[in-house]
Amino acid sequence: MNSKNQQKLQSQTRKWALGGVFVLILPNLFPSLLTPLARAYPSLFSEWNAPKPMHLGLINGALQRQNSDEQESELWSPLLNQGWKHCADSHTTSPFPKKSRGYIQVFLDGGLNQQRMGICDAVAVAKILNATLVIPHFEVNPVWQDSSSFADIFDVDHFIDVLKNEVSIVKDLPSQYSWSTRDYYATGIRATRIKTAPIHASDTWYLENVLPVMQSHGIAAISPFSHRLAFDNLPSEIQHLRCKVNFEGLVFVPHIKMLAETLINRLRYAASGDRALGVSNWQERLDDKQRAGQYVVLHLRFDKDMAAHSACDFGGGKAEKLALAKYRQVLWQGRVLNSQYTDEELRHQGRCPLTPEEIGLLLAALGFNNSTRLYLASHKVYGGEARISTLRKLFPYLEDKKSLASAEERAKVEGKATLLAAVDYYVSMHSDIFISASPGNMHNALVGHRAYNNLKTIRPNMVLLGKLFLNKSLEWSDFQQTVKNGHKNRQGQLRLRKATQSIYTYPIPDCTCQA
């Protein structure tokens, strides 16, 4: 190659290199240029720079792990009876008077599990006020961007029927109140709207502040209505009513249940030792009539929001830190600041979300082997498949909605975050074991619901794990033994609710009776 051609080639190489650098730094120099792409940019940036494993020594040990039959049996064995039973039916609340005092509307924000809690509280408030509850309105959450209504998620007729002897509930307002819409309250200050409901308000507060409005106008609309009813110092019949709504009144619509049952059947009846090769061969595998297998649900709460809220180091280096800072700036516009604590201090406090790699090591240390059927219940994982690769290496039989069901089967829920969460909730409630990578609304709701049904649920010891993952010289055998010892009493054992704790996370003793 002559010198002229060589110079030309070098010049082109420099141009390509400069162009690549420019593409990477452009969103940071001019963030507004790429809106709305700016919201997707951090995730894409982190996937381009897939992090290397943070705990390679432990991973190598986990890949060579061997568990005894006794360990397997103990791990999968169901919980023994802990001395409590359901008693929602044995505690009948006083029937509502024939004449209602008026109508109550509530406007609920958040994802599926915040909506569940809000619905239960709304029924309780209607009972306190002797009001007729209008089926709650769901706001469009800015994060989930899902406009699904109550009727899109829950069986309305079942909801009304289960509660018909205790609270008056209607699907729609009568014509004389048809003006009371969400748009009406968004355009100005209205006498019928209650905006001042404090967090965890008492029953007395509702009687003193909401009842007069309802009696004056025939209707009262409470917005916002999230965590607006206390957990303590309420009549026992109100507590039992909340339990009845949560555990009996809220049933998913048929198509959600049907899809979830399909996923469960394919998890349980997949031929042992056979990795899913595609949805098309599921029917053949089901036709084998294999003995029902066991499966564990992992709620992997490692999305962009979770990672951005945290100031922890997730192994992606400067590129990832830059991406998370960018996303934090775009989504929260300065409302979420960098933590005053270092990564090491946050891990010692148990405040760092577990990465897919770390939750995989936890599962392996607890005794789950590489033939475990593992269902991934999750929204979008930050970093995509690159971030999940180590978890998949540890657990090859890792499944989710897309691997278990066809696009046609998922059509009614695809792109709707709340409906997808409902499918995951149902699959989680029917699993042999449930574990959540980090605390959150889904974790709290399922911990409570599974405790009510005495089902095994493993709660990660975040403080212990944070310290263990900081020790880069820790051998696999020591890690495994310490993890097992630190989780012996975190697998669904009885935990009584303490003052101010949520009745939905800790339903005992309010929702149960001693056997």
Side-chain angles (χ1 to χ4, degrees):
M1 183 183 294
N2 59 43
S3 59
K4 185 178 288 186
N5 288 336
Q6 194 169 12
Q7 288 176 350
K8 186 177 180 180
L9 181 60
Q10 289 175 343
S11 177
Q12 288 177 335
T13 303
R14 282 195 296 270
K15 287 179 181 178
W16 280 106
L18 288 171
V21 171
F22 182 73
V23 168
L24 290 176
I25 67 172
L26 179 63
N28 299 290
L29 296 175
F30 307 102
S32 60
L33 265 182
L34 301 181
T35 306
L37 179 61
R39 287 178 179 260
Y41 164 72
S43 180
L44 294 173
F45 189 82
S46 294
E47 288 194 53
W48 293 340
N49 296 271
K52 295 178 181 178
M54 296 178 69
H55 314 287
L56 195 55
L58 293 178
I59 292 170
N60 290 333
L63 289 171
Q64 299 171 33
R65 68 194 185 277
Q66 291 183 340
N67 303 315
S68 67
D69 292 340
E70 184 180 351
Q71 288 174 324
E72 292 275 327
S73 177
E74 182 181 353
L75 180 64
W76 288 99
S77 61
L79 292 175
L80 298 175
N81 187 303
Q82 300 187 71
W84 297 85
K85 65 179 182 179
H86 295 179
C87 59
D89 288 336
S90 63
H91 286 265
T92 55
T93 61
S94 56
F96 60 87
K98 291 183 179 180
K99 185 171 177 58
S100 167
R101 288 170 167 169
Y103 292 92
I104 281 289
Q105 284 179 294
V106 296
F107 300 91
L108 305 180
D109 196 4
L112 173 71
N113 299 294
Q114 279 179 279
Q115 292 167 348
R116 285 185 72 101
M117 292 184 283
I119 294 165
C120 299
D121 287 350
V123 172
V125 167
K127 181 73 174 181
I128 291 168
L129 298 175
N130 180 28
T132 297
L133 176 68
V134 185
I135 291 295
H137 172 88
F138 292 171
E139 306 275 27
V140 178
N141 186 274
V143 174
W144 305 113
Q145 289 293 314
D146 188 347
S147 58
S148 298
S149 67
F150 185 109
D152 292 328
I153 306 166
F154 300 108
D155 186 326
V156 176
D157 292 329
H158 174 87
F159 178 72
I160 294 174
D161 185 63
V162 166
L163 302 168
K164 65 184 179 183
N165 294 324
E166 296 163 278
V167 179
S168 174
I169 304 174
V170 294
K171 297 179 182 178
D172 301 292
L173 284 167
S175 57
Q176 66 263 39
Y177 297 109
S178 60
W179 47 266
S180 185
T181 64
R182 188 66 189 90
D183 290 339
Y184 172 74
Y185 293 109
T187 56
I189 298 173
R190 308 296 183 184
T192 51
R193 179 181 176 182
I194 309 296
K195 294 181 65 176
T196 56
I199 299 293
H200 300 154
S202 67
D203 53 345
T204 303
W205 187 91
Y206 282 95
L207 290 168
E208 292 177 352
N209 295 273
V210 180
L211 182 57
V213 174
M214 190 172 65
Q215 289 177 321
S216 296
H217 301 277
I219 187 170
I222 310 175
S223 176
F225 190 79
S226 179
H227 308 290
R228 289 309 196 271
L229 183 61
F231 291 118
D232 296 299
N233 302 317
L234 291 175
S236 60
E237 69 166 10
I238 297 299
Q239 297 288 63
H240 286 297
L241 178 58
R242 294 164 102 177
C243 302
K244 188 169 185 176
V245 180
N246 194 30
F247 302 129
E248 297 178 38
L250 293 177
V251 170
F252 295 126
V253 293
H255 75 84
I256 289 177
K257 291 173 62 177
M258 188 180 300
L259 175 57
E261 289 286 359
T262 296
L263 303 182
I264 292 168
N265 285 336
R266 291 172 183 173
L267 283 164
R268 291 206 182 280
Y269 292 95
S272 180
D274 177 24
R275 171 75 178 131
L277 299 175
V279 175
S280 61
N281 71 335
W282 276 114
Q283 192 57 50
E284 297 174 17
R285 296 161 72 179
L286 291 175
D287 288 343
D288 289 340
K289 304 297 182 185
Q290 295 278 340
R291 178 178 61 84
Q294 297 164 310
Y295 74 94
V296 57
V297 168
L298 167 61
H299 179 230
L300 186 56
R301 191 166 182 250
F302 194 76
D303 53 31
K304 286 187 293 186
D305 297 347
M306 190 77 172
H309 260 297
S310 168
C312 302
D313 180 11
F314 301 115
K318 291 183 178 179
E320 185 169 83
K321 290 180 180 179
L322 179 66
L324 291 177
K326 170 65 179 177
Y327 182 76
R328 193 180 297 126
Q329 177 189 359
V330 170
L331 190 61
W332 292 293
Q333 299 175 354
R335 292 194 298 272
V336 176
L337 302 177
N338 289 328
S339 172
Q340 60 180 317
Y341 300 104
T342 65
D343 175 75
E344 184 173 344
E345 290 170 332
L346 289 170
R347 290 187 180 277
H348 269 287
Q349 296 168 19
R351 293 170 59 184
C352 288
L354 295 178
T355 65
E357 174 189 336
E358 291 169 342
I359 196 72
L361 289 169
L362 168 62
L363 289 169
L366 289 170
F368 293 101
N369 61 35
N370 61 5
S371 65
T372 299
R373 292 170 178 139
L374 188 61
Y375 178 82
L376 194 61
S378 179
H379 193 50
K380 294 177 181 177
V381 176
Y382 180 65
E385 184 60 33
R387 182 75 72 171
I388 301 175
S389 59
T390 301
L391 175 64
R392 196 180 297 281
K393 187 182 296 184
L394 292 170
F395 295 95
Y397 301 97
L398 179 65
E399 309 285 2
D400 58 18
K401 290 177 284 292
K402 288 188 176 180
S403 70
L404 292 171
S406 67
E408 290 75 18
E409 289 172 318
R410 304 192 311 269
K412 288 187 176 181
V413 301
E414 202 65 72
K416 299 175 182 177
T418 310
L419 303 189
L420 291 168
V423 172
D424 283 342
Y425 192 103
Y426 190 96
V427 175
S428 300
M429 275 305 301
H430 290 78
S431 65
D432 299 275
I433 301 173
F434 173 80
I435 182 169
S436 182
S438 300
N441 289 323
M442 181 82 157
H443 165 94
N444 294 339
L446 280 162
V447 163
H449 204 157
R450 289 178 65 89
Y452 180 74
N453 288 329
N454 200 41
L455 299 173
K456 183 169 282 191
T457 303
I458 299 175
R459 296 179 298 112
N461 187 331
M462 302 295 285
V463 174
L464 172 66
L465 292 169
K467 294 175 181 177
L468 291 178
F469 287 130
L470 282 171
N471 186 350
K472 301 303 180 183
S473 62
L474 191 63
E475 297 288 338
W476 170 252
S477 57
D478 294 332
F479 175 81
Q480 185 178 35
Q481 192 59 52
T482 306
V483 166
K484 284 184 176 179
N485 291 339
H487 289 82
K488 283 183 178 179
N489 297 317
R490 302 178 69 87
Q491 302 190 27
Q493 286 83 356
L494 180 67
R495 291 189 298 162
L496 296 178
R497 188 178 74 86
K498 299 176 183 177
T500 73
Q501 286 183 326
S502 169
I503 194 174
Y504 307 119
T505 307
Y506 303 94
I508 302 170
D510 302 82
C511 300
T512 55
C513 298
Q514 287 188 303

